[in-house]
Amino acid sequence: MKVFVINLEKDVARKEHVLKQCQSIGFEAEVFNAIDGRLLSPQEISDKTHPELSAGLTESEIGCALSHHGVYQQMVTDNIEVALILEDDVEFDHQSRDILNYLASHIPQRPTIYLLAGVRKYLKGGKKIPCSEHTLVNVSQAALSHAYIINLAAAKKLNDYLYPIWLEADRWTFMIECGLVNIKAILPVIGHLSELSHESTIWSSESDFERKAAIRELRKVTVKKIRKNRTLSTKCKNSMWRIFIRPFFEVKQE
């Protein structure tokens, strides 16, 4: 399985930390140089983002989304069947190797993502992982993009769907609602956030924090517009699921 580590070139300590994590569970990783959205010119941002639907995304969030999209693009170009994508603030359990290898070797052909981090809501039940106490569950709501497995079919879908950039890299719930990819999660979590995650690279300066509330409000308005612009078939499918199918499932919260 190919392993990509998304890392800003300046964040040497983070890179060393995550490479050590990969080494400890027996994986050799390729560092993918992340895009620092704060260094992009206004014209570059304009060229790489949707003119309306990216409103409310910070420069750092745009850089993060471009970085993940860049990995999808490389998977498509190099015909990489399955990859483990990591951000540089991940912390793995020591027993993760066998679980990761199992997941990679049993990923279906249809567009699929396995989230290794915590999820907000998931459906009760799921599939037990052999020789493990872990379970693969269907995700209802999720965020966080610091650790996940993705197959080529999903990379192709996201490569086309997410560019020019208009969604955060971890807007998984929206992708689920649109039926874009099949998203599952492994529980208990094996891809944790390390202490390095407390040092945000999204809101990293005093000026960022000062404008955070206004930006978040703008993004909230934009997301409402995005959801309103979903196709009629997608809206109907989600309404049918909530009314006729969801009542038969117990939705748990992680």
Side-chain angles (χ1 to χ4, degrees):
M1 175 173 58
K2 184 75 174 182
V3 181
F4 290 100
V5 168
I6 297 175
N7 167 259
L8 288 172
E9 195 170 1
K10 68 179 182 64
D11 292 334
V12 178
R14 282 174 171 254
K15 178 176 70 175
E16 292 176 349
H17 169 81
V18 70
L19 291 179
K20 185 177 180 180
Q21 287 290 308
C22 291
Q23 186 178 18
S24 70
I25 58 173
F27 287 108
E28 184 177 345
E30 176 182 327
V31 176
F32 187 91
N33 288 329
I35 296 172
D36 191 338
R38 294 163 296 185
L39 301 181
L40 296 176
S41 68
Q43 185 60 53
E44 287 175 314
I45 289 179
S46 177
D47 291 342
K48 297 175 185 295
T49 59
H50 191 282
E52 296 178 5
L53 302 184
S54 64
L57 290 176
T58 68
E59 292 87 350
S60 293
E61 287 172 327
I62 291 169
C64 179
L66 283 169
S67 300
H68 283 264
H69 180 267
V71 176
Y72 306 149
Q73 194 171 44
Q74 184 169 333
M75 287 182 67
V76 173
T77 300
D78 296 344
N79 200 37
I80 297 170
E81 290 295 332
V82 60
L84 170 61
I85 300 179
L86 306 173
E87 294 179 352
D88 55 15
D89 54 0
V90 68
E91 187 97 30
F92 276 114
D93 291 338
H94 293 298
Q95 74 274 23
S96 299
R97 179 178 182 176
D98 290 343
I99 297 172
L100 291 170
N101 282 329
Y102 175 85
L103 293 175
S105 61
H106 289 80
I107 196 166
Q109 292 297 310
R110 65 183 183 278
T112 301
I113 291 173
Y114 291 154
L115 301 179
L116 308 176
V119 298
R120 291 175 180 167
K121 292 183 179 180
Y122 62 95
L123 302 183
K124 180 184 177 182
K127 178 182 178 182
K128 294 294 291 184
I129 303 298
C131 304
S132 167
E133 296 181 355
H134 294 77
T135 304
L136 196 60
V137 299
N138 290 308
V139 175
S140 177
Q141 293 182 18
L144 300 178
S145 58
H146 63 274
Y148 59 97
I149 293 173
I150 180 171
N151 66 5
L152 180 58
K156 288 179 177 178
K157 283 268 190 177
L158 298 185
N159 182 54
D160 294 335
Y161 189 74
L162 299 178
Y163 193 87
I165 297 300
W166 58 285
L167 276 182
E168 297 85 341
D170 63 351
R171 185 71 71 165
W172 305 121
T173 302
F174 182 80
M175 297 179 200
I176 294 168
E177 291 175 354
C178 290
L180 185 67
V181 292
N182 180 37
I183 300 182
K184 296 179 179 290
I186 184 78
L187 298 176
V189 171
I190 61 173
H192 308 276
L193 282 168
S194 71
E195 292 183 0
L196 293 170
S197 66
H198 301 313
E199 301 175 9
S200 173
T201 57
I202 300 294
W203 305 102
S204 57
S205 68
E206 186 175 339
S207 60
D208 282 339
F209 281 102
E210 288 176 353
R211 62 193 180 102
K212 181 176 181 179
I215 290 177
R216 282 307 183 218
E217 185 58 33
L218 175 58
R219 189 60 187 159
K220 188 176 180 181
V221 171
T222 304
V223 169
K224 285 183 179 180
K225 181 188 297 185
I226 290 172
R227 294 177 65 84
K228 185 177 180 180
N229 288 343
R230 290 177 301 170
T231 64
L232 180 60
S233 62
T234 297
K235 292 177 181 177
C236 290
K237 180 180 177 181
N238 280 279
S239 295
M240 296 288 284
W241 187 87
R242 286 194 301 269
I243 297 170
F244 297 108
I245 300 177
R246 179 172 176 172
F248 294 96
F249 290 91
E250 182 179 350
V251 179
K252 292 192 172 184
Q253 192 148 354
E254 174 69 4

